[in-house]
Amino acid sequence: PQKTRARARPAPARNAYAFTIKDAQSMGGPGRTKMYELAKNGRLRLLHVDGRTLVEGDSLRALLLGAV
């Protein structure tokens, strides 16, 4: 039996409007639990689209650059 490989995901565009939680983490963002904590405290904005939770791009960039 041949092993199946997970398909490599393309890197997210740095200027995207929104990111999945996984993509936000791959950009150097905090872990999943910390992201929800930051959102609860108003330091990160989450969007809910068709049952998916996305991190707003400007909010993530501000957090990563220390502007928040």
Side-chain angles (χ1 to χ4, degrees), residues 48-60:
H48 301 281
V49 179
D50 289 335
R52 297 180 71 192
T53 300
L54 302 173
V55 180
E56 184 186 53
D58 289 339
S59 175
L60 179 64

Side-chain angles (χ1 to χ4, degrees), residues 3-68:
K3 293 182 181 179
T4 58
R5 290 187 183 179
R7 184 181 302 206
R9 293 175 50 155
R14 298 282 184 199
N15 61 346
Y17 178 72
F19 302 94
T20 63
I21 298 287
K22 186 178 259 187
D23 284 344
Q25 288 175 298
S26 73
M27 292 178 59
R32 178 179 207 85
T33 303
K34 188 66 172 180
M35 280 195 212
Y36 283 105
E37 181 183 316
L38 290 167
K40 184 178 178 182
N41 294 330
R43 296 186 59 208
L44 188 65
R45 184 175 161 127
L46 300 181
L47 308 169
H48 301 281
V49 179
D50 289 335
R52 297 180 71 192
T53 300
L54 302 173
V55 180
E56 184 186 53
D58 289 339
S59 175
L60 179 64
R61 285 185 284 275
L63 179 73
L64 295 176
L65 295 173
V68 174

